[in-house]
């Protein structure tokens, strides 16, 4: 009986050792699988990040061999010669027009002036009062000028002075008059201190089917290296 007991005890000990080995092996296998899964996940994350860091070529454009329209709103033609006209936040009448023609010199295209049916006063206070009321009324001032064949243009620049922290309401009239679906629209503005951010939101809300690129804001005096600013902006749009 003693012998049988010893043999039984030895078998139990062996079974326990085998069981422990099995448990350890299972733990090691589980650990290895976890490490492998973690490494694979990290590799996927790094791949995704590397893709995010690459340039999205679809987000860049080319001005070569494209039909380009450079539309602008300006009070240059309403202000008597020699007058330093003031329009809302934009101090000198005609600077938006100057920018439009400079862009045309750099990349080509057709120039178009957005002309409202009404004239805006030269007086800063009078013009500002009208601009503020138009914003309050969410007005769409009637236009006297119209693009003959908007369909042919694939790229449309739209320039304006900042009035009451945004584009003049006549610019919204222009945007709502045409179908911009699939077209590339590029805003630019002149301003004393206000940025172009509000206008960018207005453009996105007004013509949601257009491909709207980041616009450019220039100081109202067009002092300093304003031409260099435009050149750099145009190059960034083309990813040069």
């Amino acid at each position: 009986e003693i012998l049988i007991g010893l043999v039984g005890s030895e078998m139990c000990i062996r079974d326990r050792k085998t069981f422990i080995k099995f448990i350890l092996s299972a733990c090691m296998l589980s650990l290895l699988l976890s490490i492998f899964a973690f490494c694979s996940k990290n590799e996927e994350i790094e791949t995704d990040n590397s893709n995010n860091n690459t340039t999205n070529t679809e987000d860049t454009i080319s001005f070569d061999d494209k039909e380009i329209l450079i539309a602008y709103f300006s009070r240059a033609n309403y202000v008597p010669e020699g007058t330093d006209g003031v329009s809302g936040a934009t101090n000198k009448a005609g600077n938006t027009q100057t920018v439009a023609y400079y862009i045309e010199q750099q990349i080509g295209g057709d120039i178009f002036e957005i002309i409202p049916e009404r004239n805006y006063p030269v007086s800063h206070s009078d013009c500002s009062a009208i601009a503020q009321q138009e914003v309050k009324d969410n007005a769409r001032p009637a236009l006297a000028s119209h693009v003959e064949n908007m369909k042919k243009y694939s790229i449309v620049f739209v320039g304006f002075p900042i009035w009451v922290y945004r584009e003049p309401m006549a610019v919204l009239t222009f945007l709502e008059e045409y179908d911009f679906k699939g077209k590339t629209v590029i805003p630019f503005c002149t301003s004393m201190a206000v940025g172009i951010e509000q206008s960018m939101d207005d453009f996105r809300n007004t013509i949601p089917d257009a491909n709207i690129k980041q616009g450019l804001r220039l100081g109202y005096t067009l002092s300093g290296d304003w031409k260099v600013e435009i050149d750099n902006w145009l190059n960034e749009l083309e990813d040069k």
Side-chain angles (χ1 to χ4, degrees):
E1 289 180 2
I2 295 173
L3 179 61
I4 293 173
L6 291 173
V7 172
S9 298
E10 185 178 354
M11 291 179 65
C12 288
I13 292 171
R14 288 179 179 176
D15 289 341
R16 289 178 181 173
K17 288 182 177 179
T18 302
F19 179 75
I20 291 173
K21 288 181 179 179
F22 174 78
I23 293 298
L24 291 175
S25 298
C27 290
M28 289 295 294
L29 179 60
S30 177
L31 179 61
L32 289 173
L33 290 174
S34 297
I35 293 173
F36 177 80
F38 178 78
C39 291
S40 298
K41 186 176 182 180
N42 277 355
E43 186 175 66
E44 292 174 1
I45 293 173
E46 291 175 3
T47 301
D48 290 342
N49 287 340
S50 64
N51 289 337
N52 289 336
N53 290 332
T54 58
T55 300
N56 184 359
T57 56
E58 294 181 359
D59 197 43
T60 59
I61 58 177
S62 173
F63 299 128
D64 297 333
D65 302 321
K66 297 292 177 59
E67 293 291 345
I68 300 172
L69 180 69
I70 304 169
Y72 71 93
F73 176 94
S74 175
R75 294 177 58 246
N77 295 330
Y78 306 136
V79 178
E81 185 176 354
T83 302
D84 183 17
V86 178
S87 53
T90 302
N91 199 358
K92 295 181 180 297
N95 46 17
T96 304
Q97 181 187 68
T98 300
V99 174
Y101 275 92
Y102 182 77
I103 293 173
E104 185 270 335
Q105 292 173 9
Q106 300 309 109
I107 63 172
D110 297 333
I111 291 286
F112 174 80
E113 184 178 1
I114 302 170
I115 304 175
E117 288 186 354
R118 68 160 301 158
N119 291 336
Y120 290 89
V122 175
S123 165
H124 170 74
S125 58
D126 292 345
C127 184
S128 294
I130 294 173
Q132 290 172 12
Q133 188 62 46
E134 287 181 346
V135 170
K136 182 179 179 180
D137 297 340
N138 195 27
R140 296 295 186 271
L143 301 181
S145 62
H146 306 277
V147 180
E148 291 185 3
N149 185 13
M150 179 63 83
K151 290 183 178 180
K152 79 172 188 176
Y153 298 105
S154 59
I155 299 175
V156 181
F157 286 81
V158 183
F160 48 89
I162 292 294
W163 284 9
V164 197
Y165 305 104
R166 66 206 311 164
E167 70 288 342
M169 302 307 284
V171 173
L172 296 183
T173 305
F174 171 79
L175 295 179
E176 292 177 354
E177 183 173 342
Y178 308 98
D179 181 9
F180 286 91
K181 184 176 182 179
K183 296 184 186 295
T184 296
V185 178
I186 311 172
F188 64 92
C189 73
T190 54
S191 169
M192 181 180 295
V194 178
I196 198 173
E197 292 78 17
Q198 179 60 55
S199 293
M200 293 297 299
D201 288 341
D202 291 344
F203 272 58
R204 295 186 186 101
N205 292 331
T206 306
I207 47 174
D209 294 328
N211 178 21
I212 301 174
K213 298 297 184 181
Q214 179 57 47
L216 176 68
R217 178 260 178 197
L218 293 166
Y220 73 96
T221 60
L222 294 185
S223 59
D225 296 328
W226 65 273
K227 291 183 179 180
V228 175
E229 286 188 62
I230 295 175
D231 293 340
N232 291 339
W233 173 58
L234 294 174
N235 287 335
E236 288 174 3
L237 290 170
E238 287 196 287
D239 192 34
K240 287 185 177 180

